């Protein structure tokens, strides 16, 4: 591992601090605002909650883990379903419950270690569920790309989506350095300019917006009645199966990049608790659930700047941006096909990352056990199967697929042993490279 330019506790100069923090802000910006855009929540709240959530994460991990938390794509479909069932308040209650699950898991890991969670969530379960998340959103992306505000096919709108998609791909494949880490943001900017040229951007709200504006917070007991139901819990909580696995993967990668074993110190239980706390904070103010961002880990790897002060700066700037009315209005003025264009690539990448997990883990599909588990997860999840016991008790889609996958993995014979040296091997590799 190369020597860091700024290590974990190194404090940058003021100009460095601002510049490096803005880099992290840009890296997470496009994806973080896309999630609320898709589910009908406030982008301003998404920015504020990502900032506050990141600060909470840094505090809980004792200022040792340089990570930024943005909006989680895994919760898009469940949030939409929860909003349909009980309004925005129901989605927030479900998000809060998912955050509580993180807290419970963190407590168990603190007491019993982390091996059990790897047995519960092996790649043969998590990989296909991630594929379901991406492919389940495919029709949403395509409809956003092709249709005008009336829901009818529009070649003009589709051309905007295709230009956005092309710009995102070119940035991702051909550009180097920092620009290669922000393809979503570059794609949105290029698509926005093209949409402006073809006349489908409405600037009226930007002109009316004030510089300082209070966002539309969603506060429990104030803006909605708090009512915990089985339906909401079963829509949202099972998704934690996927996001917990994603979190562990990010911690392994981050440990490798930074040259520290974050599974042992400050401990996997602390980082999971930080992630869950960020999700609960977000739910309490009306934002989407949170997760650590691979884009920001990429920024750390390229810049070799690991300072937690830089991540703190990005979190503070994101929080401030949420109160700047002009910025929020500008985000809201982005035409739907622009977001549709980047969504085509992003949702495809989510599905592909599930396949990559299966490939990297060397899953043998000649083994009937693996074939059965993955097949059941894919068809139940993408097909939208539902288990309805009563009006109040219903599990469907991705949640049902994840539960079926976990149960099949536990029940079917021939379950492989977890690699007991999984994390130690990573740490030894880091020490060797260092």
């Amino acid at each position: 591992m190369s020597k860091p330019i700024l290590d974990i506790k190194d404090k940058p100069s003021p100009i460095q601090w601002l510049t490096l923090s803005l880099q992290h802000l840009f890296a997470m910006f496009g994806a973080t605002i896309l999630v609320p855009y898709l589910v009908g929540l406030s982008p301003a709240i998404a920015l504020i909650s990502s900032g506050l959530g990141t600060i909470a994460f840094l505090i809980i991990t004792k200022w040792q883990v340089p990570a930024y938390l943005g909006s989680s794509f895994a919760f898009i479909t469940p949030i939409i379903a929860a909003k349909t069932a009980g309004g925005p308040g129901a989605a927030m209650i479900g998000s809060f419950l998912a955050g509580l699950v993180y807290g419970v898991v963190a407590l168990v890991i603190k007491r019993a270690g982390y091996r059990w969670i790897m047995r519960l969530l092996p790649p043969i379960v998590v990989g296909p569920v991630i594929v379901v998340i991406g492919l389940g959103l495919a029709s949403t992306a395509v409809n956003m790309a092709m249709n005008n505000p009336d829901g009818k096919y529009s070649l003009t709108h589709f051309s905007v989506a295709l230009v956005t998609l092309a710009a995102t791909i070119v940035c991702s494949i051909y550009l180097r350095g920092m620009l290669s880490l922000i393809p979503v943001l570059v794609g949105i900017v290029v698509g926005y300019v093209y949409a402006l040229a073809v006349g489908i951007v409405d600037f009226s709200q930007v002109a009316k917006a004030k510089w300082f504006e209070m966002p539309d917070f969603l506060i429990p007991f104030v803006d909605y009645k708090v009512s915990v139901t089985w339906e909401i819990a079963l829509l949202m909580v099972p998704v934690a199966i996927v996001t917990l696995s994603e979190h562990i993967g990010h911690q392994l990668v981050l440990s490798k990049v930074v040259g520290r074993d974050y599974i042992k110190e400050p401990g996997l239980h602390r980082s999971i608790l930080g992630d869950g706390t960020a999700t609960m904070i977000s739910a309490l103010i009306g934002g989407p659930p949170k997760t650590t961002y691979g884009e920001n880990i990429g920024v750390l790897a390229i810049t070799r700047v690991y300072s937690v002060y830089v991540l703190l700066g990005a979190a503070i700037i994101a929080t401030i941006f949420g109160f700047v009315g002009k910025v929020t209005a500008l985000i809201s003025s982005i035409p739907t096909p622009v977001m549709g264009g980047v969504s085509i690539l992003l949702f495809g990448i989510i599905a592909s990352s599930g396949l990559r997990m299966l490939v990297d883990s060397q899953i043998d599909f000649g083994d009937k056990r693996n074939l059965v588990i993955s097949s059941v997860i894919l068809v139940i999840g993408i097909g939208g199967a539902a288990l309805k016991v009563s009006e109040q008790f219903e599990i469907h889609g991705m949640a049902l697929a994840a539960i079926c996958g976990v149960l099949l993995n536990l029940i079917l014979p021939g379950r492989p042993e977890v690699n007991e040296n999984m994390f130690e091997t990573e740490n030894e590799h880091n020490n060797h490279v260092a």
Side-chain angles (χ1 to χ4, degrees):
M1 186 190 71
S2 302
K3 185 179 178 182
I5 293 172
L6 286 174
D7 210 349
I8 304 296
K9 295 295 178 71
D10 291 346
K11 189 179 290 186
S13 66
I15 298 298
Q16 267 187 324
W17 198 342
L18 178 62
T19 306
L20 295 170
S21 293
L22 283 172
Q23 272 192 154
H24 276 284
L25 183 71
F26 291 147
M28 70 83 189
F29 196 85
T32 291
I33 65 168
L34 178 59
V35 175
Y37 192 99
L38 291 170
V39 301
L41 296 175
S42 166
I45 303 298
L47 287 173
I48 293 169
S49 59
S50 77
L52 296 178
T54 298
I55 293 169
F57 179 89
L58 292 172
I59 292 170
I60 290 169
T61 56
K62 302 193 291 187
W63 303 96
Q64 292 182 25
V65 184
Y68 194 94
L69 278 68
S71 306
S72 172
F73 281 81
F75 285 91
I76 291 174
T77 302
I79 288 175
I80 293 171
K83 282 185 68 182
T84 303
M92 294 304 103
I93 292 167
S95 297
F96 190 86
L97 292 175
L100 279 179
V101 170
Y102 274 75
V104 172
V105 170
L107 184 61
V108 176
I109 289 175
K110 171 70 173 173
R111 298 293 182 189
Y114 48 72
R115 304 296 180 189
W116 65 273
I117 199 168
M118 301 312 300
R119 294 187 181 95
L120 193 67
L121 303 174
I124 188 56
V125 173
V126 177
V129 172
I130 293 173
V131 173
V132 166
I133 293 171
L135 295 185
L137 292 165
S139 60
T140 300
V142 171
N143 288 333
M144 288 172 64
M146 291 195 311
N147 300 333
N148 63 20
D150 298 325
K152 296 178 180 178
Y153 179 83
S154 166
L155 184 58
T156 301
H157 285 70
F158 197 27
S159 72
V160 171
L162 292 176
V163 167
T164 304
L165 175 61
T168 309
I169 293 171
V170 168
C171 181
S172 180
I173 299 295
Y174 294 106
L175 298 186
R176 293 290 178 265
M178 182 60 197
L179 286 175
S180 68
L181 293 170
I182 53 171
V184 174
L185 183 62
V186 172
I188 289 173
V189 170
V190 172
Y192 192 91
V193 172
Y194 179 78
L196 197 61
V198 298
I200 63 168
V201 178
D202 181 8
F203 268 128
S204 59
Q205 294 305 313
V206 180
K208 292 177 185 176
K210 299 175 182 176
W211 280 104
F212 176 80
E213 208 165 89
M214 188 61 68
D216 297 323
F217 289 106
L218 270 177
I219 309 297
F221 301 105
V222 176
D223 297 308
Y224 58 89
K225 181 182 176 182
V226 175
S227 175
V228 180
T229 65
W230 278 110
E231 182 184 12
I232 298 303
L234 290 170
L235 274 173
M236 302 287 285
V237 169
V239 185
I241 291 172
V242 183
T243 52
L244 279 167
S245 179
E246 179 186 45
H247 176 90
I248 293 168
H250 281 166
Q251 289 306 296
L252 285 173
V253 174
L254 189 58
S255 295
K256 192 171 182 179
V257 168
V258 177
R260 288 167 170 80
D261 188 349
Y262 286 133
I263 304 301
K264 289 185 175 178
E265 182 59 38
L268 186 61
H269 63 287
R270 279 188 175 273
S271 62
I272 287 177
L273 179 61
D275 209 332
T277 302
T279 294
M280 288 188 282
I281 289 171
S282 187
L284 290 174
I285 62 175
K290 296 292 173 272
T291 184
T292 47
Y293 259 29
E295 293 92 330
N296 293 89
I297 295 173
V299 173
L300 292 171
I302 280 188
T303 62
R304 290 186 289 123
V305 172
Y306 310 143
S307 172
V308 289
Y309 292 101
V310 172
L311 277 302
L312 174 64
I316 292 170
I317 296 170
T319 305
I320 292 170
F321 269 19
F323 291 95
V324 180
K326 294 286 186 186
V327 171
T328 305
L330 193 62
I331 293 170
S332 300
S333 72
I334 300 171
T336 301
V338 172
M339 290 305 199
V342 295
S343 296
I344 289 172
L345 182 61
L346 276 176
F347 297 159
I349 287 175
I350 292 171
S352 298
S353 67
L355 295 174
R356 180 181 174 181
M357 176 180 283
L358 296 172
V359 172
D360 289 348
S361 303
Q362 298 180 332
I363 299 299
D364 178 15
F365 282 100
D367 183 337
K368 289 181 180 178
R369 183 181 190 277
N370 293 334
L371 199 60
V372 166
I373 294 173
S374 59
S375 299
V376 170
I377 291 173
L378 290 172
V379 174
I380 286 179
I382 297 172
L387 180 64
K388 297 181 181 180
V389 179
S390 66
E391 288 297 322
Q392 287 74 37
F393 192 94
E394 177 182 335
I395 315 172
H396 60 80
M398 182 175 58
L400 182 59
I403 291 170
C404 287
V406 169
L407 291 177
L408 285 172
N409 176 63
L410 295 174
I411 293 168
L412 293 179
R415 178 156 53 103
E417 287 297 316
V418 175
N419 179 7
E420 291 297 319
N421 296 317
M422 178 181 177
F423 299 116
E424 284 81 353
T425 301
E426 289 285 340
N427 190 41
E428 286 165 9
H429 172 76
N430 290 334
N431 292 335
H432 175 71
V433 175

